[in-house]
Amino acid sequence: MKNLATGLIFVLFTLAQLSSPAVWAETSVKGPKKEYPTRCVVVTGVASMDGVSKEFARQMAIRNGLKQASMQSNLKISSDQVVKDFMLSKDATRFTSNSKVSQFLIVEEGVQEADFNDRFDDKGIEILDEQKLKKMETYQVKMEVCLTEDPQACNNVPGNHYQPKLAIARPITTDSRGATDISNLLGGFQTELQRRLYEDGYRNMVMIEDSSLLDTTQAVAPNLSPDVLEPIREGTGAQYLLLTVIRSVSRHNDDPKLWNDFKRFYSREVHPNSRFIETDTYIVDLYNYDIVLEKRNGFDIKGDVTVGRERPFGTNAFFATNTGMVFHALLNNSTQQVYGYMRCKPVETRIIDIRGNDYVIYLSNESGAQVGDELAVYHNVGRPVRYQGNDLGLDSEPTGFLKIKRIQSRFAVGEVLAKDGLIQIGDKVRSW
């Protein structure tokens, strides 16, 4: 009788194993690509010539023209009004454009003298002073600007082909116990994430290992302390930092307790048949010490969920397992989220040295920068702004434009194209 019961239990156990494959599948549904209309407008950008060079005024006029164009399509207007004691006490209106510049063409440009009406003062007397008339001159750029409403499009402005440098930190896990069956989890995840971003076309990356980037004193989250992030920025030249927290890789058995008791009674091992994997992805702005992207991805798996340390993370043998398939999906999700955020971001870096007329910029050739490219310089103004003990950063204003004349593996050398004021070490340099 005991042999019959043993055989029955074994048959039921075998059937249970055969009837519980991994319940997980990656699906991809792609519909027809939506067509977005393109609208072209003609605008005239204007910039004052007062106290600045012609080249500087030209650059500012182009910016003014593109700004005007973007306000003529897909404009969102929000109004905030407050009425107190039957009287309007607050009236604020905000204009936001959701259009992107797809292309622009300069039709006509040049210095424009003061208009006829501007040549007379408040008393109606004609202004004859040449110096005053000179100050009223403007640089005008007539442009044809085409705009698109495609949310996936990037603004087609100078420098839009650049890629900001992204530092990829080694992940950490808050579930080390659940990951005992996976070898090389953290290093393999970091390498695989970098490889997939590279395959998608992102080139400007550097991998780092620093456990202090995540604050483990509370719920694990990015450490936003400038004392922690600034050395990363200065040491790597990165503009953004990618952090990953593997929250869960826990395994357990979901079978009924009675069924597991039967298996234990007959010395059958109770294997894990369910696993929950969850990761958090963060992108941190290293210049503003702020989290700019936060995503959570997670999957449940049913079936054979144990990997085995003989199949290290990242190998074909690992990705052939049920757990490996889920990590494949998680990595794909993370890659798409990170690439989607980074692809349209403008580059921001700093001037790190000045040698005569040469300005050394912390900008590598991996960013996509090329000889002849023009970059905008923003000069820091005043002291750092502090509020309640927190350093909120420095105010800055456009002070000039640099043209790249040489580019090396880790820095670029530029010369002044136009400037209005002081350009010094530490000033911000932006692609636009």
Side-chain angles (χ1 to χ4, degrees), residues 277-290:
I277 301 178
E278 185 176 74
T279 63
D280 284 349
T281 301
Y282 303 92
I283 295 181
V284 177
D285 186 334
L286 292 176
Y287 281 94
N288 297 307
Y289 313 120
D290 189 26

Side-chain angles (χ1 to χ4, degrees), residues 4 7 94 150 288 313:
L4 178 61
R94 183 176 183 180
D150 186 354
N288 297 307
F313 193 103

Side-chain angles (χ1 to χ4, degrees), residues 166 168-169 171 186-200 202 205 207 242-244 281-282 313 319 330-336 338:
L166 177 67
I168 304 176
L186 303 182
F189 192 100
Q190 181 189 28
T191 302
E192 193 66 22
L193 191 56
Q194 187 266 351
R195 184 184 69 81
R196 295 184 186 215
L197 282 168
Y198 189 89
E199 287 183 348
D200 280 356
Y202 209 87
M205 296 176 287
M207 294 203 295
L242 174 59
L243 299 170
T244 303
T281 301
Y282 303 92
F313 193 103
F319 286 120
L330 286 169
L331 283 162
N332 277 350
N333 283 354
S334 295
T335 301
Q336 292 170 10
V338 172

Side-chain angles (χ1 to χ4, degrees), residues 230-250:
E230 189 171 336
I232 299 297
R233 185 191 69 208
E234 298 301 323
T236 64
Q239 185 176 340
Y240 294 97
L241 173 66
L242 174 59
L243 299 170
T244 303
V245 180
I246 302 174
R247 299 282 181 187
S248 173
V249 280
S250 61

